[in-house]
Amino acid sequence: VQLQASGGGLVQAGGSLRLSCSASGSIFSINAMGWYRQTPGKQRELVASIYRDGDTRYGDSVKGRFTISRDNSKNAVYLQMNSLKPEDTAVYYCKAVHHADPWTPGYDYWGQGTLVTVSS
């Protein structure tokens, strides 16, 4: 399973960006998909996650500003980021939890990361 993320870039504070991530390869079933972010010297943190049934989770710092969605038919996940702040600057990684069969626990796959820079 390979994940390809796109959509990062430079934006001014208060602006918006939309990240996309698509999974490809030998896919049986993807349950959770999500976005994480990381800055130098810090641990990777959850931004948002979404399950196959549409249930979502958000990190406290992005609630009300970011929206995660997915297209199960395309094995894709999206992150709409509004009202961006300089502290949102980070490398954003997408993750997919893939199940090779109904009996095997999920395995985490990560995308390559896409840089989001928010200028003040």
Side-chain angles (χ1 to χ4, degrees):
V1 176
Q2 297 83 41
L3 298 178
Q4 181 68 44
S6 62
L10 174 63
V11 64
Q12 288 189 331
S16 298
L17 280 175
R18 185 174 188 254
L19 305 183
S20 301
C21 177
S22 294
S24 62
S26 182
I27 297 172
F28 176 74
S29 177
I30 294 177
N31 186 9
M33 300 187 80
W35 292 94
Y36 291 71
R37 66 188 182 187
Q38 188 170 24
T39 54
K42 293 188 176 181
Q43 286 190 330
R44 195 170 294 187
E45 65 173 1
L46 171 69
V47 177
S49 63
I50 184 167
Y51 293 82
R52 191 170 184 84
D53 62 3
D55 189 23
T56 58
R57 299 283 188 273
Y58 291 93
D60 288 340
S61 62
V62 306
K63 286 179 181 177
R65 299 188 298 123
F66 292 9
T67 302
I68 190 170
S69 60
R70 67 187 282 174
D71 184 335
N72 291 330
S73 67
K74 297 180 179 179
N75 292 311
V77 62
Y78 310 97
L79 185 69
Q80 179 64 44
M81 305 185 293
N82 298 329
S83 302
L84 282 161
K85 305 175 181 179
E87 51 263 43
D88 294 317
T89 296
V91 177
Y92 285 70
Y93 298 89
C94 63
K95 186 181 90 168
V97 182
H98 177 255
H99 296 260
D101 57 57
W103 310 278
T104 303
Y107 184 86
D108 294 348
Y109 288 89
W110 293 89
Q112 82 282 10
T114 184
L115 177 62
V116 172
T117 303
V118 184
S119 63
S120 56

